[in-house]
Amino acid sequence: MTEVLKDRVFYENSGGGLTLSGGEPMLQFEFAYELLKQAKQNGIHTCIETCGFASAENILRIATVTDIFLYDWKLTNEKMHQEYTGVENTLILKNLQQLDAVGSNIVLRCPIIPSVNDTEEHFRGIANIANSLRNPLAIEIEPYHSLGENKYIKLGKLKGIQKFEQPTEKQIETWMNQIQNNTKVTVKKA
Amino acid sequence: MGNLSELKKLVFESDNNACFIERERILNRLEKEMADYNEPDKYAIILSKLLSEASTPIFDCDYFAGRVVEALPEENMAAPSELLCSVGHMSFDYEKLLKVGLKGILTEIKANAKEKGDFDSVSFAKNAEIVIMAIKNYVQRYANEARNRGLLEMAKALDHVPYEPAYDFFSALQSIWLIHMIASCYVGARDYAFGRFDEYMLPFYEKALKNGKTESELTEILAGFFMKTNEICGRGTHNYKCKPILSQASKQYINIGGENPNVFSSVVLEAAKLNHMAQPQITVLLKPDADEEFTANVFTALSVLTDKMHIYHYSQIVEALINQGIEKEIAKEFTYSACCTFDLNYHSFRLEYFTPVPQIFLSVFHHNEYSSLRELLADFKAALTEEIQNYVNRTQDGFCEEEARKQFVLDSLLLSDSTVECRYACDGKAKYNVLNIFCPGVATIGDSLMVLDKLVFKEMRYSYSEFAEIVKNNYQNHEELLEEIKGYTMFGNDTEIDRYTVLAGNAFLDAVDAVEHRENHYLAAGFYSLERENVWAAEIGATPNGRRKGEPFSENQSPTYGADKNSITALLKSLSKLPFERTVTGGLNLTFSQRISPEILQALVISYFQMGGFHIGISVIDRKTLEDAMVNPNKYKSLTVRLYGFSEYFISLPKWQQIAILNRTEYCV
């Protein structure tokens, strides 16, 4: 916490705060919870980026010390979700609904990868989920980029990693419009 | 009305090998013709002949009259001719020019000379009259040309200024431009600054609005004025082959903000966005608690202009000046001109000195076997004081011997002391003589102290002499140790290690404080290297921080290349520990790999200033683009980066400077 507080002046001038990001902070739940709790006690705004794949109990506990959830929604199609992420999306959806029920502020974070989830079905799914929430802050889409490739090269893991085409700005705009056409929730680029 | 995009195109199409051909032809001829003429009015006569023969072209795209015609120099031509050249690097009193015109300045000089009555003063006034009348006649020819072309507003302005006071927004800018151009291109010198531009232009702006001009019309006219400053040096920056003009690489600073930013301060920012060229440099003097709207405008402009503007912590600098004995009214009017250097506006004559700090540190380090950092620092301070004292002694009777011999130069018409005293104020007798005393390599010294303290005094892994020998031998056969040192946490990561660089900084400032100087000399100290971190590198032996001979040392206020491994906030916190409250000069450049929102920029800079930060300049550029620009320069003609205290066209830089920019840490917010 001492480290976090060193940046207080920046939080105050930016209206920002502490964001726990990935990996997946919920995998280190106890530490994440304690850090966010202490941040709240010190008057610092808190935020967590999560894929939502965690126990309902932990999700609800973390909600008590979190101001904003940046909540991943990767794939609406259950089978594809299982195929690409290795887990089902049922629990993720349930946790999202629970967070919404207790009044958490939620930004839906949607990574869009050409040829994987840039489908009409998924875009409609994103809009439907956002529409089902009571008070979603926004839908943020995260277009695929290849910045991680260097990291994979450094880790010696590029082999076997599937490469995708980087979308153009025009393509991204089309995606955003496809989602926006079905929802009143603001769609923006993350 | 002019045309901005046409003017911009002309700058980009200009030939970097071309010179102001008329000037060179006329001066080369006059040099021969007047070789035996040695009367005190020689300078004035030559300048007046030059102005009487020069052509007065106006292009269709020009907003303002006043341009020089360039062509490739003839074979064996002495270009640029130094017959008239000045030292430049100063801020002119344009406020006075606009208020009383050259006519008023001449009246003042004549009255002062009459009162003084001595030969030199009378001679100064006579020279002033020759030059002022030559400018009047030269501008009259421009007025005729404008009238012939049907440019009636321009012709009317040229009938009046710069001889008479300016009467409206356009004539004010026209007046400034003509003097600025004559000083830069005809006399020939780099880096004339415009001083506190938003203060003295405000009344003209307000009057123009009252008279029915719109904000957007006035912004465009101002952008046209800004565009002219790029004609001074074209794209010729600091490149391999200098443009054959004396004003090559001229950095021209517009200072805005300060105590009370006004409505025109924000118009300057808008016009700068329209101009969007490397010149002029927009220098914002910002209080962390300045007017909210102005502050927001500053950061919106910074997010667009990036390397073309920079920001100083105004209130902290004023406080430092007052603490060092400068009267409040003068302190509040300080400016920056030329390469991030400090100036007391047009009140002073100023020089700069890059103290060979790394060299002095190494000579002290190798001179004795010290048993503590305290002892070493005491000797280091004493050696620095001696070095700076020698410099001050050398310059106090005349900043530049050649300059001091000149009784009159054009520049003296626009410096307050010169018109009062009737002499060119470069003889060390001006009311304020500002000596910028720079400390290059502060982080390299700080990190060196840390390594020495750790390996020798604390862990005692080496005796002092053993370690000094390893460093002296360039870490030869001690590659393992070198790698180990390189792995240490250094300055720039917001750790307790930063205290060593603070020690180094304070040692330098204490040394400056100990220098004896005359009352009218002001030593403006700060952490700044310009390009010395690379230019000196080859001569400087290995340093205890794991730097081998020939490698660059730390740039400006920054950590050594690659040492800042945490985040941007950690870096700014480290930097804010430096004793900036004792400095008034210097600079910091940050490189970001992608565009940053105005809000984030504002949060970063205001937070940094609240913690005691001094200055920020930024580049937004990614490594891939820079690498591509090195291979395909023609694709990147307009690509600019922040270099030291200004903006430069990347492709005009020599390779070693391009590599230095590539070496900077890229931050992503």
Side-chain angles (χ1 to χ4, degrees), chain A residues 3 6-7 9-11 13-15 146-147, chain B residues 494 569 572-573 603-604 606-608 610-611:
Chain A
E3 279 301 309
K6 280 186 189 171
D7 276 341
V9 63
F10 294 102
Y11 308 143
N13 281 311
S14 64
S146 54
L147 294 178
Chain B
D494 190 30
T569 56
L572 294 179
K573 281 183 285 177
L604 283 175
I606 297 295
S607 302
Y608 180 47
Q610 283 172 352
M611 291 187 293

Side-chain angles (χ1 to χ4, degrees), chain B residues 53 111 141 182 211 226 242 244 291 362 379 386 402 429 550 635 659:
Chain B
E53 291 183 37
R141 290 195 289 120
I182 292 169
N211 289 341
F226 286 169
C242 289
D291 168 75
L362 275 186
D379 278 6
E386 192 185 336
E402 216 171 288
K429 290 177 192 149
K635 270 169 62 188
I659 290 168

